[in-house]
Amino acid sequence: MWFKNALIYPLAEPFTLTPEALHDALSQDQARHCGKLEKQTLGWVSPLGSEHVNLTHALQGCIMLCLRKQQRLLPNSVVKQHTLQKVAEIETAEHRQVSTREKRQIGDELAITLLPQAFTTDSDLFAYIDTRLNWLIIDTSSANKAEELTVLLRQSLGSLKLMPLAVNQDCHAMMTRWVQETAIDAGWYIDDACELIDPRAETTQIKCVNQDLGVAEVQGHIQSGKIVSKLAMNWQDRMAFTLDKSLNLKKIKFLDLVHEQQSELDIEDKIQQFEVDFAIMAEEFYQCIPALLELLGGLKTPASAHATAVTA
């Protein structure tokens, strides 16, 4: 259950709901199967698995949630194939050419006809609320997937206000300086990968993988004006991840020093395994993320007293 990514959303107000009250709020939007003509559904499931009914799992001030997305698999290529067959039948039977507009209409009608026959697939997205730091942390690298979760969470709660994750230092400038100096601060290390962009044309990207970032080639790109947009970092030999310009943590790896804590415990069942993993992971984030934000000048307080509300 270890998170591989972390999109971090500071909450605008202290989260005061108990895990039981949050469960009750989520219950109105529980996961369900797609209807015959539905392309997808979103809903909450137990983070402990299908054999459990509780939609939250709390531990040490953190509350885990799980969003399930069910989708019907109807590839455009399948609809197109059936459309071409139908068009050919019409043209043969009626001795005429089917117009573009009519082809589009046939395709739309076939998509409706084929949808109930399509297979469904489920995907789960985990997130947790840290009531100590007042953050929502989502295990995804996709802003769109994160938005699906925050929109439904807002719907379930009736209100959810999030502040933008912003720091007092320019993230590009700080990452570029770290690569130039091949050093950060005590306890932090530059790893062997980064991505550089040209600020005048951000579509120009240079990716360095399994590369000593202190070599002349990489340093030359920076001297020519390119800046670092992604940087692989290591925190105290406990966590490794890639930091991007939006302050998202991607490709997270919890290292041996962390997993050694787990190996020292006598774990008896899946629930205990989940709780141990959750507790260790949440504590690492609790220590690492504030330290990272401090490196970047600290969390910026919004100029306006009104936080950004998550909307559909």
Side-chain angles (χ1 to χ4, degrees), residues 85-96 98 102 106:
Q85 291 174 351
K86 184 66 174 178
V87 167
E89 291 171 4
I90 292 173
E91 290 181 341
T92 300
E94 300 181 10
H95 305 289
R96 66 179 180 87
V98 175
E102 189 177 356
I106 292 169

Side-chain angles (χ1 to χ4, degrees), residues 149-178:
L149 186 143
T150 56
V151 167
L152 187 62
L153 186 55
R154 180 175 184 262
Q155 175 182 307
S156 299
L157 297 178
S159 175
L160 178 67
K161 294 181 179 179
L162 306 179
M163 294 188 300
L165 183 63
V167 290
N168 289 306
Q169 296 289 342
D170 181 272
C171 192
H172 280 302
M174 293 298 291
M175 290 193 292
T176 303
R177 193 188 83 186
W178 294 336

Side-chain angles (χ1 to χ4, degrees), residues 8-12 133-136 162-169 246-247 289-303:
I8 307 159
Y9 295 86
L11 304 180
L133 295 171
N134 215 40
W135 288 343
L136 170 68
L162 306 179
M163 294 188 300
L165 183 63
V167 290
N168 289 306
Q169 296 289 342
S246 300
L247 304 176
I289 296 174
L292 175 63
L293 297 178
E294 188 63 28
L295 272 181
L296 295 165
L299 196 61
K300 183 182 292 185
T301 302

Side-chain angles (χ1 to χ4, degrees), residues 228-258:
V228 178
S229 60
K230 296 180 182 179
L231 179 63
M233 302 172 66
N234 178 306
W235 178 66
Q236 296 186 351
D237 286 327
R238 302 181 68 84
M239 280 177 59
F241 56 85
T242 297
L243 177 69
D244 72 12
K245 61 182 180 181
S246 300
L247 304 176
N248 300 319
L249 278 58
K250 301 180 178 180
K251 300 180 181 179
I252 296 171
K253 293 181 181 178
F254 294 90
L255 305 177
D256 290 345
L257 286 177
V258 174

Side-chain angles (χ1 to χ4, degrees), residues 188 235 239 241 283-293:
W188 290 92
W235 178 66
M239 280 177 59
F241 56 85
E283 184 61 25
E284 294 302 315
F285 282 147
Y286 181 76
Q287 299 293 333
C288 175
I289 296 174
L292 175 63
L293 297 178

Side-chain angles (χ1 to χ4, degrees), residues 59-253:
L59 200 67
Q60 299 176 359
C62 298
I63 310 173
M64 184 72 76
L65 318 169
C66 184
L67 175 72
R68 175 160 296 170
K69 180 177 184 177
Q70 184 171 100
Q71 292 178 288
R72 287 196 177 276
L73 301 178
L74 183 59
N76 290 332
S77 58
V78 173
V79 176
K80 183 178 180 181
Q81 180 182 357
H82 282 76
T83 300
L84 291 174
Q85 291 174 351
K86 184 66 174 178
V87 167
E89 291 171 4
I90 292 173
E91 290 181 341
T92 300
E94 300 181 10
H95 305 289
R96 66 179 180 87
Q97 187 172 0
V98 175
S99 68
T100 301
R101 180 179 179 181
E102 189 177 356
K103 288 179 183 177
R104 190 178 303 115
Q105 182 178 353
I106 292 169
D108 292 342
E109 291 173 352
L110 283 170
I112 294 173
T113 301
L114 294 169
L115 192 60
Q117 305 170 39
F119 290 107
T120 59
T121 182
D122 294 340
S123 58
D124 291 342
L125 179 60
F126 287 85
Y128 74 91
I129 297 167
D130 189 325
T131 62
R132 303 164 298 174
L133 295 171
N134 215 40
W135 288 343
L136 170 68
I137 300 179
I138 307 177
D139 180 16
T140 182
S141 61
S142 165
N144 290 336
K145 290 182 179 180
E147 185 178 16
E148 289 179 337
L149 186 143
T150 56
V151 167
L152 187 62
L153 186 55
R154 180 175 184 262
Q155 175 182 307
S156 299
L157 297 178
S159 175
L160 178 67
K161 294 181 179 179
L162 306 179
M163 294 188 300
L165 183 63
V167 290
N168 289 306
Q169 296 289 342
D170 181 272
C171 192
H172 280 302
M174 293 298 291
M175 290 193 292
T176 303
R177 193 188 83 186
W178 294 336
V179 173
Q180 280 182 301
E181 297 176 356
T182 62
I184 311 181
D185 279 1
W188 290 92
Y189 309 97
I190 290 175
D191 222 323
D192 60 355
C194 76
E195 184 174 296
L196 302 108
I197 60 172
D198 187 332
R200 297 158 296 185
E202 290 195 13
T203 53
T204 301
Q205 297 179 343
I206 298 171
K207 295 182 180 181
C208 305
V209 181
N210 298 324
Q211 173 72 64
D212 177 357
L213 302 186
V215 299
E217 181 182 359
V218 176
Q219 296 297 320
H221 287 308
I222 293 176
Q223 290 168 12
S224 69
K226 294 180 177 61
I227 58 177
V228 178
S229 60
K230 296 180 182 179
L231 179 63
M233 302 172 66
N234 178 306
W235 178 66
Q236 296 186 351
D237 286 327
R238 302 181 68 84
M239 280 177 59
F241 56 85
T242 297
L243 177 69
D244 72 12
K245 61 182 180 181
S246 300
L247 304 176
N248 300 319
L249 278 58
K250 301 180 178 180
K251 300 180 181 179
I252 296 171
K253 293 181 181 178

